[in-house]
Amino acid sequence: MPKSESLFPDLPKDLTKADSSDLLVLEKEIRAAITMIQENDEEFLAGHTGDEVLAELKAGVEALKEIVSVMDGRAEAAAQAEKEKAEALAEVETLRPLPDEPEEVTAEVVAEEEPVPDESSEPDAEEDGAVVEEPKELELVTAAAEEPKNPAPAAARIVVQESKVTPLRAAGGLDKVQYGTELDRMGLADAIVANARRLGKPAPGGEVRQLIATLEFDFPEDRVLDGKNGQGNEEKIRKVIPRQTGWGEAEVDSKSLTAAASANFLCAPPTPFYSMPNFATTARPVRDSLPSFRADRGGVNVPEATTIGDITSAISLIDQDDESAGGTFATKSCQDLDCVEYTDTFITTIAHCRQYGNLQARTWPEKIAHENALTMAAHARTAEEYLLDRIKSLSVNVTNGAETLGALIYMVDGIVKAKYGITSRLRMDPETPFRVLLPAVLPDLLGLDNVQTQFDRFQSEEQLVSYLRSYDIMPSFYIDTPTTGDSQIADAAQAAGALEGLPDTIQYAIFPEGAFLHLDGGSLELGIVRDSTLNETNEFQVFGESFENVARIAPAQAAYWVTSDLCATGQFPPAGTARTCD
């Protein structure tokens, strides 16, 4: 991130004129930035010095205060307005209601009561000296054209139908969101952002899926079939089925309906379900945790790095007595340069190939897509296991732990001791960032350990990550396993009977950032392959391969592979009992 880029969003010049929804979005973004500063998020703070981060943090806090002040002021004003509105409406209720209006007599009724004159016999203009008026046909026609007006109902009689909005509710297994919590627009956005960070960035061409929220709604009463009310169900069905023989408004013989149902068979075949769910992921957490470099020449030649321990005769210490004695006592030593060994590291080919029939692809493409997705997930697993094996073979293999105490105690014990050993032997800066590759099962194991103890320790993966970061240790959680030692993943299948337990031996790597490099030789994805041989059998192949490896450029003492004996017992040392130190 460039230094000129601010860690916080810019505020409008006049907050009082900004829309409340925009202010709420700004508040969310500022709080998220403050959280990442608090967690020392390296990616977020990249390119900023400590002084710049502190200045940005202070400015962000002041901006947050301004937004909260404006939002609180608007909330108070809205509450006051609602209060005054309720008081005004209460006064209206104390007034007398409008009197009922009398029913109007329409002109149509009057027209029916009066005799209609016979247009064929016109009366004389004068009869016995009396003037006879012509019938008011125009008035009658006009009056008849007017619609009768019904009196408006009283306000108390008006029933307002409130629309029921079905809320979104948080799904299970999310970070920072309790299961079943009702989510508004911003709450849904927060849940998506928080869990996207936990799942990590998907591999190129892959995807990461996580159920965030569910929407539940009730069927209307007229669409619910009651198992105890057959006649009522029949009436509900009759209303929605188009009229045909035996349905609609025609009478239905309930006995014949029951007899037909008791036959319990279908002549038509059921609807086929062609799609197949894919639960496997192509994520590559081990590869993504290492700095990756292109190996255009198929590999690298790495010299064995020397350490401070290799400096044996380059330093001289001569005090006053030695200087006075002269001779060999005052001679300064000088260490020669010894050539070191070089290690060639070549990229390794990891290929995938599937063969299908042409007719299979044309008639069931969903199955072919499903198999290809599973193949790429298997390719990712093989590649990750290979990288783990390489890191393990290039590290100093050590052990720790015991099943006498809780898992958390020996987990922290191993990480702290390992970091101390590396930084001390290489005389490193104590604030040097470290990387630790942990199995994905570890947070679950520590959580199980936590529920069996009386103390409130780690309760989530996020808290474990935050704890390790406080020691300048950046954790990455791998989802596969090295091929040697105890497996870090479950067996291929769960047999009937007791549930299989968590692994009681945890394998992990710890090293300074940059100690290992991921060598990326690219990939070759040919896609569909056809040749004369495959054409003869009416088949084709889907082929591809990746080229990669791991090289250690740090000294051998810079990387440890720890095999730790852990058990989620929740046990802790009794009061007054001291642990045995090495």
Side-chain angles (χ1 to χ4, degrees):
M1 179 184 295
K3 292 185 179 181
S4 59
E5 184 177 346
S6 175
L7 298 176
F8 295 92
D10 296 331
L11 298 184
K13 294 182 179 180
D14 190 354
L15 289 179
T16 59
K17 296 181 180 180
D19 187 74
S20 295
S21 60
D22 295 335
L23 291 180
L24 184 58
V25 172
L26 285 173
E27 182 182 353
K28 294 284 186 180
E29 293 179 353
I30 291 175
R31 290 185 183 274
I34 292 175
T35 299
M36 285 188 282
I37 292 176
Q38 183 180 7
E39 296 177 351
N40 293 322
D41 190 294
E42 290 187 351
E43 181 178 355
F44 181 71
L45 300 178
H48 289 77
T49 65
D51 293 339
E52 290 174 342
V53 172
L54 179 59
E56 288 279 346
L57 177 60
K58 291 181 179 180
V61 172
E62 292 301 323
L64 181 61
K65 289 180 180 179
E66 294 181 24
I67 293 176
V68 171
S69 177
V70 173
M71 295 290 285
D72 289 347
R74 291 183 180 180
E76 293 176 2
Q80 181 63 27
E82 287 294 329
K83 179 180 178 182
E84 295 178 359
K85 178 181 177 181
E87 292 174 353
L89 293 176
E91 292 182 2
V92 174
E93 294 295 331
T94 62
L95 302 177
R96 66 172 180 80
L98 287 173
D100 294 336
E101 297 181 5
E103 296 183 359
E104 296 181 355
V105 179
T106 63
E108 291 179 333
V109 178
V110 176
E112 292 178 359
E113 293 179 354
E114 294 182 356
V116 180
D118 188 2
E119 297 180 356
S120 61
S121 57
E122 298 182 358
D124 297 334
E126 296 181 358
E127 184 177 347
D128 298 333
V131 179
V132 180
E133 296 182 355
E134 295 182 357
K136 299 180 180 180
E137 297 179 359
L138 182 59
E139 290 184 9
L140 292 177
V141 173
T142 303
E146 295 180 355
E147 294 290 339
K149 297 181 179 180
N150 295 324
R157 297 181 180 180
I158 300 177
V159 178
V160 179
Q161 297 291 339
E162 297 183 357
S163 60
K164 183 179 180 181
V165 179
T166 304
L168 284 172
R169 299 194 179 276
L174 301 180
D175 285 351
K176 299 183 180 180
V177 185
Q178 185 177 1
Y179 172 73
T181 301
E182 185 174 323
L183 299 177
D184 57 8
R185 180 170 61 90
M186 295 308 302
L188 178 61
D190 287 344
I192 293 175
V193 172
N195 287 273
R197 293 182 59 196
R198 180 177 66 84
L199 293 174
K201 182 179 179 181
E207 62 179 1
V208 178
R209 295 189 178 187
Q210 169 70 47
L211 180 62
I212 299 296
T214 59
L215 179 65
E216 298 181 357
F217 57 92
D218 296 329
F219 277 92
E221 181 61 30
D222 60 347
R223 291 299 179 95
V224 178
L225 298 182
D226 187 356
K228 300 180 180 180
N229 189 358
Q231 184 65 32
N233 293 341
E234 182 179 314
E235 295 295 331
K236 295 176 183 178
I237 298 174
R238 186 184 300 174
K239 291 180 180 179
V240 297
I241 298 297
R243 179 185 300 188
Q244 50 185 313
T245 304
W247 290 96
E249 297 180 356
E251 293 295 331
V252 179
D253 186 357
S254 59
K255 294 182 179 180
S256 62
L257 180 63
T258 304
S262 64
N264 196 24
F265 67 88
L266 296 173
C267 294
T271 302
F273 188 78
Y274 295 105
S275 299
M276 302 186 72
N278 180 26
F279 297 100
T281 177
T282 57
R284 297 287 306 276
V286 177
R287 179 198 62 188
D288 297 340
S289 66
L290 303 176
S292 186
F293 290 87
R294 177 75 69 185
D296 290 332
R297 298 290 182 175
V300 293
N301 192 344
V302 181
E304 183 65 31
T306 52
T307 69
I308 191 174
D310 296 314
I311 308 302
T312 56
S313 57
I315 310 301
S316 301
L317 181 62
I318 302 174
D319 59 17
Q320 180 62 33
D321 293 337
D322 294 333
E323 187 72 28
S324 300
T328 57
F329 295 99
T331 302
K332 303 176 181 65
S333 63
C334 190
Q335 182 176 348
D336 292 334
L337 174 64
D338 294 329
C339 293
V340 297
E341 295 183 357
Y342 281 74
T343 301
D344 293 332
T345 302
F346 299 99
I347 57 176
T348 299
T349 301
I350 306 174
H352 63 86
C353 183
R354 294 297 303 271
Q355 188 163 320
Y356 307 109
N358 291 333
L359 291 179
Q360 292 175 337
R362 293 183 64 84
T363 58
W364 198 359
E366 296 88 354
K367 177 61 174 176
I368 303 301
H370 174 71
E371 290 296 318
N372 284 336
L374 287 179
T375 301
M376 296 310 298
H379 177 272
R381 164 159 285 181
T382 301
E384 289 286 283
E385 291 178 349
Y386 176 73
L387 298 186
L388 289 171
D389 286 343
R390 286 285 296 162
I391 294 173
K392 183 176 181 179
S393 65
L394 295 171
S395 303
V396 178
N397 283 236
V398 296
T399 61
N400 93 305
E403 297 184 9
T404 55
L405 298 177
L408 176 62
I409 293 176
Y410 286 114
M411 188 68 230
V412 176
D413 174 90
I415 291 178
V416 171
K417 286 181 178 178
K419 184 187 177 187
Y420 159 74
I422 295 173
T423 56
S424 177
R425 292 182 177 94
L426 302 182
R427 199 178 186 272
M428 298 175 61
D429 183 347
E431 296 184 359
T432 300
F434 272 64
R435 174 70 59 177
V436 58
L437 299 178
L438 301 167
V441 70
L442 182 62
D444 297 328
L445 189 147
L446 295 182
L448 181 59
D449 185 59
N450 175 70
V451 300
Q452 299 181 93
T453 181
Q454 61 181 345
F455 299 114
D456 182 19
R457 293 188 250 171
F458 301 121
Q459 297 178 349
S460 67
E461 178 180 315
E462 181 181 355
Q463 289 176 292
L464 173 61
V465 171
S466 178
Y467 177 79
L468 292 177
R469 283 182 173 177
S470 68
Y471 284 90
D472 297 314
I473 297 175
M474 302 299 297
S476 295
F477 297 96
Y478 63 85
I479 57 179
D480 299 294
T481 182
T483 58
T484 59
D486 289 358
S487 176
Q488 304 299 284
I489 59 177
D491 293 339
Q494 166 72 54
L499 276 173
E500 293 186 7
L502 303 179
D504 56 5
T505 301
I506 297 298
Q507 298 191 65
Y508 61 93
I510 181 170
F511 49 85
E513 287 279 24
F516 291 99
L517 299 183
H518 173 253
L519 303 182
D520 188 351
S523 60
L524 177 65
E525 293 294 338
L526 298 182
I528 296 178
V529 178
R530 301 180 187 273
D531 57 23
S532 58
T533 303
L534 291 171
N535 288 338
E536 289 180 357
T537 58
N538 200 27
E539 294 177 319
F540 67 93
Q541 292 180 349
V542 178
F543 176 83
E545 53 190 352
S546 63
F547 310 96
E548 55 188 301
N549 206 334
V550 167
R552 175 173 54 78
I553 62 175
Q557 287 293 328
Y560 294 171
W561 184 273
V562 185
T563 300
S564 186
D565 193 9
L566 302 180
C567 185
T569 63
Q571 294 294 322
F572 58 96
T577 302
R579 287 187 57 202
T580 301
C581 295
D582 298 336

